[in-house]
Amino acid sequence: MNIFKISSKNLIRNKLTTILNIILVAFGVGILSILFLASTQISSKLEKNAKDIDLVVGAKGSPLQLILSSVYHIDYPTGNIPAKDAYKLMQNPMVKRAVPLALGDNYNGYRIVGTDSTFSNLYGLSIQKGSFWHQDLEVTLGSTVALTSGLRIGDLFFGAHGLTGNGDVHKQHAYQVKGILKPQGNITDNLILTNIGSVYKMHEEKHVEGHSHVSAEEAKEINDKQITALLIQYKSPMSVILFPRMVNQSTNMQAASPAMESARLFSLIGVGIDTLQWFAIFIMGIAALSIFISLYNAMKERKYDLAIMRCLGASKSKLFFLVMFEGVLVTFIGSCLGLLIGHVALEVIGANQESAQAKLTGLTAIPQEIYLIWIGLFIGALASLIPAMQIYKVDIAETLTKNR
Amino acid sequence: MIKISSLAHVYEKGRSLRFPCWEIADMEQWLLLGASGSGKSTLLNIISGLLEPSQGEVLINGTDLYTLPARGRDRFRGRHIGIIFQRPHLIRSLDVLENLALAAVMAGLPIDHERNLSLLHDLGIAELAKNYPDQLSQGQLQRVSVARALVNKPDLLIADEPTSSLDDENANQVIQLLTTQAKDNGAALIIATHDRRVRDHITKTYLL
């Protein structure tokens, strides 16, 4: 029997009010923790995937779209660029490493990326089983792809045209799984890697088959050998200013910086995050008010309880602490529940997310979440301060002598 | 030993009361008699350290109650004075046994469950130990509050109309328990009452 037990017994006695208050706090904290977790995870994912990529060169269009499609593999590519122009850029003395990408097909929503060995150097990929791709139509799977598709080394599968859906399957050629990558914790886990030749082959074949809807443009794409984008790493930081300008002005291609574009993207998302944040703070405010009102109202009835405890020898400060503790206990439970709700909700969101590329998870925690608990405790203390002050005003003798 | 001298209290409305000097030796049992409105409850509140008198002093075992700091007075009351009110006030969120334990905790003393259970047994309410105050009758509540006053083995037991809400049988049992328990615990006893059933048990009277 201690203050903790007396408080919790009293809270249990007023179940409905207690539950209401806990739920209010939990919702506020829950929303805040979802925001914290999601924005941290998104920004760290953006950062991780763009690591070591200084510049992306691709077809003219939206620079953000170019970055999203060729670095994060979320959006559709802006178009194609002539392979010979791209190879010319790759020879530029300012370029330390250039990775060509040929996109266009998918398998069950996982993108098939035509590239060369520089790609594995750029991302520091290593093999878990089997080997890297060597010839046309050989692929190496990202770890998540291997896990969810159930494909094993030696298995054959057909890619589908487009970046999502299984509508237009390339039935003529089957890819063969040669190896599976170690989990990297970045976008490459969700990619299927092959050489550029395989991607050409897929589309060549289609042409040869003589589909009536094949446009002249598509035929040209194959004849002139085009690629989707080029990931570039500079030799020296000096090139940051010169190189993009050179690309944008002297070629028919555009250059986009992942750092700048993801910053821009984040500032766009930021508006929504801010709004939600204020909404959560508003809910927390309501929670504080609700706790205040319920404690304050309860004081009328509890005056007797507290007067008895005074009679039994409790000091005013002890009872002050008792009332404070009740408010703080409610917000503490609410905060913990809120964090739980936040994590579970984010895990559920992550599980139902369509794009495997930016999957969110509720299974990680960030240090800022501790602040949420502190904020919860602070709100509890603030809301119970005035009701607890009543202790000092209660006239015990009068309270106990008067009839209820 | 309890001694009050030159005690006076002025009410907020201006009415003032003077109390005659009173000395209670160890383990003496007294009745506090007086017409209603004569200040019985006021005097009891003053003696139990709940209401500071306008003048005069209250000595309990040589301690001047109103020279103690507020906190010390609370603690002193918890450990040395057991109070039974006219209305049995129990904490409604705690069961009977927990209400008894609360008395020890609030006075900063260890909980003695065996003693608490035997107190309940002596009062004939042992089977109610796990019940909540809402489930008890007025008489049962009063007996619990008597038990609670005895929990800390007080030096002085103060009862304000303890039998007014009880039937003859219960009243007798409570008075018996008050007098015998007061004796057993070496406590002095003050009962403020106008109940004739009590007068037969105690001879010393203090009239207001």
Side-chain angles (χ1 to χ4, degrees), chain B residues 50-182:
Chain B
L50 292 170
L51 182 68
E52 185 149 11
S54 313
Q55 67 174 74
E57 57 178 18
V58 178
L59 287 171
I60 297 179
N61 289 341
T63 309
D64 185 347
L65 216 48
Y66 290 94
T67 55
L68 288 173
R71 201 182 179 135
R73 195 156 66 231
D74 289 332
R75 174 154 287 218
F76 186 90
R77 174 173 57 247
R79 294 188 171 187
H80 299 283
I81 305 173
I83 307 169
I84 298 143
F85 291 95
Q86 208 164 339
R87 297 259 159 176
H89 299 291
L90 297 176
I91 309 291
R92 283 186 277 173
S93 54
L94 303 177
D95 68 28
V96 167
L97 207 54
E98 287 167 336
N99 263 290
L100 296 193
L102 185 75
V105 171
M106 286 300 159
L109 297 169
I111 301 168
D112 183 348
H113 278 297
E114 274 175 36
R115 174 179 162 79
N116 295 351
L117 281 172
S118 78
L119 274 174
L120 290 178
H121 183 78
D122 291 346
L123 279 157
I125 47 172
E127 73 283 1
L128 301 175
K130 286 288 162 199
N131 286 37
Y132 283 86
D134 289 348
Q135 302 164 315
L136 304 185
S137 73
Q138 201 67 14
Q140 290 168 329
L141 286 173
Q142 188 58 294
R143 280 186 275 175
V144 176
S145 73
V146 170
R148 187 180 58 190
L150 290 165
V151 162
N152 293 334
K153 300 181 182 152
D155 296 325
L156 172 63
L157 206 53
I158 295 177
D160 190 359
E161 304 279 7
T163 53
S164 59
S165 56
L166 305 180
D167 58 30
D168 285 357
E169 196 188 330
N170 277 322
N172 257 327
Q173 206 171 352
V174 166
I175 298 158
Q176 286 294 343
L177 189 99
L178 280 175
T179 49
T180 53
Q181 288 290 329

Side-chain angles (χ1 to χ4, degrees), chain A residues 7-192:
Chain A
S7 295
S8 44
K9 280 255 177 181
N10 189 56
L11 289 176
I12 290 167
R13 189 166 182 270
N14 303 305
K15 280 186 213 82
L16 289 180
T17 319
T18 307
I19 289 170
L20 171 72
N21 290 337
I22 288 179
I23 285 176
L24 280 171
V25 176
F27 266 103
V29 170
I31 293 175
L32 282 176
S33 84
I34 290 177
L35 290 178
F36 272 0
L37 285 172
S39 61
T40 326
Q41 282 179 22
I42 290 171
S43 69
S44 92
K45 264 205 175 113
L46 290 181
E47 223 165 83
K48 220 187 244 171
N49 289 326
K51 196 168 79 96
D52 297 331
I53 302 171
D54 295 320
L55 197 75
V56 178
V57 176
K60 284 215 186 291
S62 150
L64 183 58
Q65 191 186 347
L66 178 62
I67 298 294
L68 287 178
S69 66
S70 50
V71 177
Y72 302 119
H73 299 272
I74 296 170
D75 208 351
Y76 290 90
T78 45
N80 289 335
I81 54 174
K84 65 176 193 309
D85 291 355
Y87 288 128
K88 212 184 284 170
L89 270 186
M90 287 166 81
Q91 306 305 322
N92 191 294
M94 282 187 268
V95 175
K96 179 180 163 201
R97 182 184 285 151
V99 181
L101 295 181
L103 306 173
D105 290 351
N106 81 93
Y107 172 68
N108 286 347
Y110 293 110
R111 296 187 176 198
I112 299 171
V113 179
T115 182
D116 60 21
S117 61
T118 52
F119 186 88
S120 47
N121 295 335
L122 178 71
Y123 285 102
L125 303 182
S126 54
I127 287 285
Q128 189 171 42
K129 260 190 273 173
S131 64
F132 280 111
W133 67 99
H134 293 295
Q135 293 163 11
D136 285 0
L137 299 178
E138 290 181 354
V139 299
T140 304
L141 303 180
S143 59
T144 311
V145 182
L147 206 67
T148 52
S149 67
L151 288 172
R152 276 172 299 184
I153 291 170
D155 284 357
L156 298 174
F157 67 90
F158 294 106
H161 194 66
L163 295 174
T164 50
N166 299 324
D168 191 3
V169 179
H170 295 296
K171 282 258 159 80
Q172 304 73 31
H173 282 295
Y175 287 108
Q176 189 182 22
V177 180
K178 273 289 164 189
I180 292 164
L181 295 172
K182 272 190 191 155
Q184 306 289 324
N186 62 19
I187 187 66
T188 58
D189 291 345
N190 297 304
L191 296 179
I192 299 171

Side-chain angles (χ1 to χ4, degrees), chain A residues 282-345:
Chain A
F282 177 70
I283 291 184
M284 298 276 273
I286 299 269
L289 191 68
S290 169
I291 292 169
F292 167 73
I293 292 172
S294 47
L295 277 177
Y296 195 86
N297 272 341
M299 284 309 282
K300 279 182 208 134
E301 192 193 328
R302 292 199 73 198
K303 228 164 53 171
Y304 296 100
D305 287 8
L306 297 166
I308 293 162
M309 292 189 215
R310 285 290 312 280
C311 266
L312 294 174
S315 60
K316 284 182 179 180
S317 54
K318 195 168 191 172
L319 297 184
F320 177 81
F321 184 68
L322 178 73
V323 176
M324 290 288 282
F325 187 77
E326 262 188 50
V328 172
L329 191 64
V330 165
T331 51
F332 179 72
I333 295 173
S335 307
C336 292
L337 193 68
L339 287 184
L340 189 72
I341 289 175
H343 282 266
V344 169

Side-chain angles (χ1 to χ4, degrees), chain A residues 246-272:
Chain A
M246 190 267 285
V247 173
N248 287 334
Q249 287 178 352
S250 67
T251 70
N252 203 22
M253 302 177 281
Q254 74 159 334
S257 145
M260 265 168 62
E261 294 309 320
S262 46
R264 202 159 67 91
L265 177 65
F266 228 67
S267 74
L268 292 175
I269 304 173
V271 181

